[in-house]
Amino acid sequence: VNEAMHSFSEEETDDAKSIQLPAFSPVSWLRQEAWASMSRHEKETFLEHITSGNFQSDRQDVHDRYYATPARFSQDDIDFGNGVDRVVLGRGPRRVLILSGIHGNEPCGVEAVKMILQKRKLFSGNNANVTSEELSQEENWIDKLEMLFDSLTIEFMLGNPTALRQNRRFIQRNLNRLFDINTLCDSDLADQEGYRYELHRARLITESIRHADFVLDIHSCSSDVGSFALPSSLDLSELLAEHLPVKYVIESLVHACLDGGTTLDAALWNDVPGVCVECGQHTHKDVVSRAAAVISSFLRLQVLQEDGAFATPSSQSSETPITMVCTNVERVSTGFQWLKKFPEFHFVAEEEPVFRDAERGVVKCPVEGGAFIVMPTAQPVIGEEALFWASAK
């Protein structure tokens, strides 16, 4: 930070006493392009947090969490998710980040990463209907993971280890709402409200996002539904999502969360493409196999062709995901109650009653021509999302 503060920009100001701004990003997790795009007021606010001591890097004990190839990978004691929350493999120039366990009650991604690390292979499942029976068959683990190491540096990172151990969504604050600049800098507020642990995790993850060329974030949900992808608004994110083994691709949803601050929001303001994938219901028997299929397909796609295009596997399923666009979101308010049970991706006609609450009474579908319900909450929490509306693209 001190070095950056001495790299002053040549920007002229009318106020001789105004802050001279660094020409380069003053923290390791904020990409230079993102710093350059910020307004002067945003930069001054950001620097105020830093210089007052509110921001700390928080990357400590790194050697306890960082395992590189080949020495460590040749051993059998990489127990991801059980004392090990970060594994980095490979020596390639293209760096990809695979996040799992951002929410502690969604262990499917962690379990899938464990299996990939233990087997040293990628799962051949390449469709949205892959089953746990297929995952258990050794012949379906085909491509050696080492084949990627010359092209890729692969970072597997567990989001919230403490919440995972306790099978809780989070400890004090939803980790997937902390990834915005102001929140990441404000240690004082975190101390006041008691979420310093999750802020620490968010800073570590953001630093890894900032150094990645592509991000995959694995989740599960409360609805009994197949896998669906939520790409960031970057074109590359949407393009890759269409090649993953999922039933649906929902554009714009990941940036429509009410409080913002998701992992892919951080990826977006660092200009890093990213895709979040919901692999189905938390406890579904096939949720781990779906996660393994998504991770394996994602890694294969990252070995780019000579023209820079994604290396679409020749064995790719003929199934094409249905693409939708998120149009808006509903908030849970006091007295929230569903009028009936709506399954995931259920189509609702325009003006059809959906839920009621104390503030608005009966709430109807507001989308002209009707829309699909995405991620309807099974456990309403006041202030959080009740559902998202999506229309076919």
Side-chain angles (χ1 to χ4, degrees):
V1 172
N2 291 334
E3 292 178 3
M5 291 290 290
H6 286 87
S7 301
F8 297 124
S9 66
E10 298 179 358
E11 181 179 343
E12 295 290 337
T13 64
D14 295 330
D15 184 357
K17 295 183 179 180
S18 64
I19 298 173
Q20 289 183 289
L21 300 178
F24 301 100
S25 171
V27 291
S28 62
W29 49 261
L30 182 65
R31 191 180 285 261
Q32 171 59 23
E33 291 84 350
W35 172 254
S37 69
M38 293 166 64
S39 69
R40 182 175 184 83
H41 176 70
E42 289 172 332
K43 289 179 180 178
E44 289 175 347
T45 302
F46 188 80
L47 288 173
E48 182 181 352
H49 283 299
I50 295 171
T51 55
S52 66
N54 283 345
F55 176 79
Q56 300 173 18
S57 169
D58 277 1
R59 182 166 286 286
Q60 55 189 347
D61 301 327
V62 67
H63 294 295
D64 293 336
R65 295 181 292 103
Y66 186 100
Y67 301 113
T69 53
R72 188 75 188 210
F73 189 63
S74 65
Q75 301 177 23
D76 295 325
D77 58 351
I78 300 181
D79 194 1
F80 186 73
N82 186 20
V84 176
D85 63 13
R86 184 169 179 260
V87 177
V88 181
L89 307 173
R91 49 191 170 271
R94 183 168 174 79
R95 189 178 186 95
V96 296
L97 172 65
I98 297 174
L99 297 170
S100 59
I102 292 291
H103 293 133
N105 63 336
E106 302 174 14
C108 65
V110 178
E111 294 303 317
V113 170
K114 279 184 183 180
M115 297 192 75
I116 290 172
L117 292 175
Q118 290 168 1
K119 291 181 177 293
R120 317 309 203 245
K121 293 181 180 179
L122 300 179
F123 185 50
S124 64
N126 55 19
N127 64 74
N129 298 309
V130 66
T131 67
S132 57
E133 287 77 13
E134 292 176 87
L135 189 69
S136 66
Q137 296 171 6
E138 193 62 37
E139 60 268 25
N140 287 328
W141 293 83
I142 298 176
D143 299 326
K144 291 185 177 180
L145 186 58
E146 286 93 332
M147 73 177 186
L148 304 176
F149 288 175
D150 287 336
S151 301
L152 304 176
T153 297
I154 307 164
E155 179 175 358
F156 298 99
M157 192 167 190
L158 169 56
N160 198 329
T162 301
L164 180 74
R165 287 194 295 271
Q166 298 180 20
N167 191 31
R168 296 169 57 184
R169 184 171 174 82
F170 53 84
I171 302 303
Q172 293 294 337
R173 282 282 296 273
N174 185 346
L175 178 59
N176 211 24
R177 296 296 182 271
L178 299 183
F179 295 93
D180 69 84
I181 290 174
N182 288 330
T183 303
L184 286 166
C185 286
D186 200 342
S187 296
D188 287 344
L189 183 62
D191 289 339
Q192 291 170 16
E193 299 189 1
Y195 62 89
R196 186 59 182 265
Y197 164 72
E198 262 113 1
L199 179 62
H200 165 78
R201 297 303 304 176
R203 288 171 173 172
L204 294 177
I205 294 164
T206 306
E207 189 170 337
S208 290
I209 289 173
R210 176 256 184 273
H211 290 289
D213 292 303
F214 218 114
V215 176
L216 174 67
D217 189 2
I218 298 291
H219 288 256
S220 58
C221 59
S222 58
S223 299
D224 187 6
V225 65
S227 301
F228 56 97
L230 310 173
S232 80
S233 59
L234 296 178
D235 290 343
L236 278 177
S237 305
E238 296 173 354
L239 178 61
L240 181 132
E242 296 172 358
H243 294 299
L244 294 176
V246 295
K247 289 187 175 181
Y248 304 95
V249 174
I250 317 296
E251 298 177 358
S252 302
L253 186 150
V254 76
H255 303 305
C257 294
L258 292 170
D259 297 324
T262 67
T263 56
L264 293 196
D265 286 326
L268 183 64
W269 49 257
N270 277 298
D271 199 30
V272 177
V275 178
C276 169
V277 177
E278 300 280 351
C279 297
Q281 195 171 42
H282 305 311
T283 58
H284 194 281
K285 66 181 182 65
D286 295 330
V287 69
V288 175
S289 56
R290 293 170 185 165
V294 168
I295 294 170
S296 296
S297 295
F298 171 81
L299 288 174
R300 290 190 187 94
L301 287 163
Q302 292 299 320
V303 181
L304 304 182
Q305 300 176 8
E306 292 184 2
D307 61 359
F310 292 123
T312 306
S314 58
S315 61
Q316 184 185 21
S317 170
S318 59
E319 298 179 18
T320 301
I322 298 170
T323 300
M324 300 181 184
V325 179
C326 178
T327 56
N328 52 340
V329 59
E330 303 283 2
R331 183 189 294 270
V332 175
S333 298
T334 303
F336 178 90
Q337 182 179 13
W338 293 107
L339 296 180
K340 67 177 183 180
K341 185 176 181 179
F342 291 94
E344 189 88 62
F345 296 103
H346 178 80
F347 183 80
V348 178
E350 181 181 356
E351 293 298 310
E352 180 180 342
V354 179
F355 65 89
R356 66 163 55 94
D357 62 37
E359 296 179 11
R360 300 167 62 188
V362 173
V363 177
K364 302 176 182 179
C365 174
V367 183
E368 183 178 356
F372 295 88
I373 287 182
V374 182
M375 301 181 74
T377 180
Q379 297 178 323
V381 177
I382 293 176
E384 293 191 358
E385 298 83 10
L387 75 148
F388 297 86
W389 294 109
S391 300
K393 189 174 179 181

